[in-house]
């Protein structure tokens, strides 16, 4: 049975160029201006030490502010960036926190990504996901974003820029 399936897959694979050509991609584009810019204040990193997957650390979030397309407000204190520095040098980023709009809506931010340096070039991208209540800001729930991170040494902070992906 396996050899019959494998043979069928090999025949199909020989036609792969025509299959892909007959079904072109609709690659998304990225807005040139961020939909949201979030200034997040931080305290010092707390190192947890080596774990089964690598070195873990927590960066507590103490506040900040944000602005964007028809939206602005503050970053609520109490979130954190849970980091894993893997054995291959890649840093996994899992930041979870909340922002509050000037009209009182509270939106959860779940920002995951990776960061590493290769031959002097730094790769640092995330895929922020927002969980907004129904209403004025629920467009955040219906949009995919790619994010960048800019570090600020003093005072300790980062700027997250979230760009909308559109078809």
């Amino acid at each position: 049975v396996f050899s019959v399936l494998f043979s069928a897959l090999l025949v199909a694979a020989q036609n792969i160029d025509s299959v892909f050509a007959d079904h072109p991609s609709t690659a998304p584009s990225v807005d040139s201006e961020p939909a949201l810019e979030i200034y997040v204040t931080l305290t010092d990193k707390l190192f947890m030490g080596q774990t089964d997957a690598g070195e873990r650390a927590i960066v507590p979030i103490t506040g900040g502010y944000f602005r964007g397309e028809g939206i602005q407000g503050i970053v609520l204190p109490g979130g954190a960036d849970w980091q894993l520095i893997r054995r291959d040098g890649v840093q996994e980023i899992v930041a979870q926190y909340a922002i509050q709009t000037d009209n009182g809506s509270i939106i959860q931010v779940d920002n995951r990504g990776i960061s590493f340096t290769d031959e002097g070039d730094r790769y640092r991208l995330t895929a922020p996901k927002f969980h907004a209540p129904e209403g004025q800001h629920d467009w955040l729930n219906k949009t995919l974003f790619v994010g960048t991170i800019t570090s600020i040494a003093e005072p300790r902070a980062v700027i997250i820029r979230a760009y909308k992906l559109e078809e």
Side-chain angles (χ1 to χ4, degrees), residues 153-164:
E154 199 57 46
R156 189 159 161 69
V158 292
I159 296 174
I160 307 300
R161 290 183 175 92
Y163 299 85
K164 286 196 288 188

Side-chain angles (χ1 to χ4, degrees), residues 117-131:
T117 303
D118 185 28
E119 297 179 13
D121 292 329
R122 190 167 193 186
Y123 182 96
R124 198 170 191 196
L125 293 175
T126 64
K129 188 172 183 180
F130 300 93
H131 303 282

Side-chain angles (χ1 to χ4, degrees), residues 4-65:
V4 171
L5 287 173
F6 187 73
S7 296
L9 287 173
L10 282 177
V11 169
Q14 292 171 356
N15 299 322
I16 197 164
D17 289 337
S18 65
V19 170
F20 290 142
D22 292 343
H23 300 86
S25 171
T26 56
S29 63
V30 178
D31 282 353
S32 60
E33 293 297 318
L36 280 173
E37 292 179 296
I38 309 170
Y39 177 87
V40 180
T41 57
L42 311 166
T43 62
D44 290 337
K45 188 181 287 194
L46 306 169
F47 289 95
M48 297 171 58
Q50 280 296 330
T51 68
D52 56 336
E55 185 174 11
R56 292 195 181 271
I58 305 166
V59 181
I61 293 172
T62 60
Y65 52 87

